[in-house]
């Protein structure tokens, strides 16, 4: 990851400009069994804009 080239545009590196990321769903603590369920989530790095906030 650290060796990735800088994007041509100021796209969010986390969501790659999509504004959303696929995160592993983790509700609360590990009380429940771990799940591999993934879903698209609003990218917290760009807040869904898909643009780098830097
Ligand atoms: Zn993003």
């Amino acid at each position: 990851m650290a060796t990735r080239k800088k994007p041509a545009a100021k796209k969010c590196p986390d969501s790659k400009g999509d504004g959303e990321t696929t995160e592993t769903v983790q509700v609360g603590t590990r009380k429940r069994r771990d799940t591999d369920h993934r879903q698209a989530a609003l990218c917290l790095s760009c807040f869904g804009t898909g643009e780098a906030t830097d």
Side-chain angles (χ1 to χ4, degrees), residues 12-37:
C12 174
D14 290 344
S15 57
K16 299 179 179 60
D18 291 334
E20 60 182 34
T21 57
T22 304
E23 298 286 349
T24 302
V25 177
Q26 293 184 347
V27 180
T29 59
R30 295 173 57 187
K31 197 167 187 177
R32 292 190 177 188
R33 67 183 179 183
D34 293 336
T35 174
D36 291 331
H37 182 218

